[in-house]
């Protein structure tokens, strides 16, 4: 009976996954678009870190042990860019993708146009949906976050970050599009570099911002389908239209 129950549960999961794909393809019927179902993850970035522990000890008058050799920081190293975790990892920009895939298990999808299907939009904030997008010889990080900018009023923030330098990011334009019930919402902008903080991008509002009622208007049974397209462009413009 236990074996039968486990097998039956796996079959139900597969049926649910295929149903999610069908819903997304029904909304975005353009040929050639790939659909990626992304499950939510609660952010752990506010978990206590070594730096926080040192700061707390200093405030309590407990000094950390003294080291005779001072550690010199390599300016070519970049910190972990995953917005979910307070990860102490540092490395060169060329190996950021490998770190995100192997350590944080972030999936990567290839194609000029894809559909990002975020599930369980009803979960309480803060919640993140994250995926990497490989296109035009570069890798991008799409972050969808549910966060309360004001207490009791959660909002959804979606942005695209290039895993590269700000100069490289200026060469691209990304478009996020929601389309449901004869309504269309589109945001088009230049991606920000992953070297910039995702939190600052969200705080500045330089991204697609949806309040709860607007997100529900475009969602389907708790899932939100976002069409993503990336092009090369030298034109720096951003717009939101409905």
């Amino acid at each position: 009976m236990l074996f039968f129950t486990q097998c039956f549960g796996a079959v139900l999961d597969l049926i649910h996954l295929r149903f999610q794909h069908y819903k997304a393809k029904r909304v975005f019927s353009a040929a050639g678009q790939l659909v990626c179902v992304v499950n939510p993850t609660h952010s752990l970035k506010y978990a206590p870190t070594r730096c926080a522990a040192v700061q707390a000890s200093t405030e309590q008058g407990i000094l950390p042990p003294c080291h005779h050799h001072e550690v010199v920081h390599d300016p070519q190293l970049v910190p972990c860019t995953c917005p979910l975790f307070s990860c102490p990892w540092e490395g060169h920009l060329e190996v950021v993708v490998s770190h995100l895939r192997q350590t944080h298990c972030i999936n990567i999808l290839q194609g000029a146009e894809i559909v990002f299907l975020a599930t369980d939009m009803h979960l309480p904030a803060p919640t993140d949906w994250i995926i990497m997008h490989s296109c035009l010889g570069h890798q991008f990080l799409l972050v969808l976050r549910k966060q309360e900018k004001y207490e009791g009023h959660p909002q959804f923030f979606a942005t695209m970050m290039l895993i590269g330098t700000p100069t490289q990011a200026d060469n691209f334009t990304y478009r996020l599009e929601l389309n449901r019930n004869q309504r269309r919402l589109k945001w088009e902008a230049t991606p920000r570099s992953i070297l910039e903080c995702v939190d600052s991008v969200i705080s500045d509002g330089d991204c697609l911002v949806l309040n709860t009622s607007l997100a529900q208007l475009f969602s389907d049974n708790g899932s939100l389908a976002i069409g993503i397209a990336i092009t090369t462009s030298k034109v720096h413009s951003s717009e939101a239209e409905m």
Side-chain angles (χ1 to χ4, degrees):
M1 289 295 296
L2 180 62
F3 176 77
F4 174 78
T5 303
Q6 291 177 345
C7 290
F8 185 70
V11 172
L12 288 180
D13 291 339
L14 290 176
I15 294 175
H16 177 71
L17 183 63
R18 292 298 298 272
F19 180 67
Q20 296 283 4
H21 277 263
Y22 169 75
K23 289 196 299 181
K25 289 183 178 180
R26 184 183 58 188
V27 176
F28 293 87
S29 59
Q33 284 188 318
L34 301 176
V35 179
C36 182
V37 179
V38 184
N39 295 321
T41 305
H42 288 285
S43 178
L44 301 176
K45 68 178 304 178
Y46 299 108
T49 61
R50 180 178 180 274
C51 294
V54 171
Q55 182 180 2
S57 299
T58 304
E59 292 175 353
Q60 296 174 2
I62 305 175
L63 297 179
C66 179
H67 297 281
H68 296 287
H69 300 284
E70 182 180 357
V71 178
V72 180
H73 177 73
D74 187 348
Q76 295 183 348
L77 297 181
V78 297
C80 176
T81 55
C82 182
L84 289 175
F85 305 96
S86 294
C87 179
W89 178 89
E90 286 186 335
H92 291 277
L93 191 59
E94 294 77 12
V95 295
V96 169
V97 174
S98 299
H99 170 74
L100 293 177
R101 295 194 66 183
Q102 296 174 7
T103 303
H104 300 300
C105 301
I106 297 180
N107 295 325
I108 186 169
L109 198 63
Q110 298 183 358
E113 297 186 6
I114 64 175
V115 176
F116 180 95
L117 184 63
T119 65
D120 300 324
M121 303 293 295
H122 61 278
L123 291 178
T127 305
D128 291 297
W129 294 260
I130 299 178
I131 193 174
M132 282 192 292
H133 182 191
S134 178
C135 178
L136 301 175
H138 290 77
Q139 284 73 40
F140 301 82
L141 189 70
L142 177 68
V143 179
L144 174 64
R145 175 174 297 175
K146 184 177 183 180
Q147 178 175 307
E148 289 187 356
K149 282 197 96 172
Y150 307 100
E151 186 176 358
H153 298 280
Q155 293 178 304
F156 294 89
F157 304 86
T159 186
M160 182 75 76
M161 313 286 289
L162 172 72
I163 303 180
T165 65
T167 302
Q168 292 174 324
D170 287 341
N171 296 325
F172 298 95
T173 298
Y174 75 94
R175 185 179 73 248
L176 305 179
E177 183 175 332
L178 292 84
N179 191 348
R180 185 172 182 268
N181 291 337
Q182 298 182 348
R183 298 176 177 86
R184 177 174 296 180
L185 178 66
K186 183 172 66 173
W187 166 269
E188 186 173 301
T190 300
R192 304 282 286 270
S193 168
I194 201 68
L195 300 178
E196 305 178 54
C197 181
V198 176
D199 293 338
S200 64
V201 175
I202 292 177
S203 299
D204 296 341
D206 187 16
C207 56
L208 175 64
V209 182
L210 305 172
N211 57 31
T212 304
S213 59
L214 192 59
Q216 291 177 350
L217 189 64
F218 286 97
S219 64
D220 185 8
N221 292 328
S223 297
L224 186 67
I226 304 177
I228 306 171
I230 300 177
T231 57
T232 56
S233 175
K234 291 289 185 179
V235 179
H236 311 307
S237 62
S238 62
E239 62 177 1
E241 64 181 17
M242 184 173 179

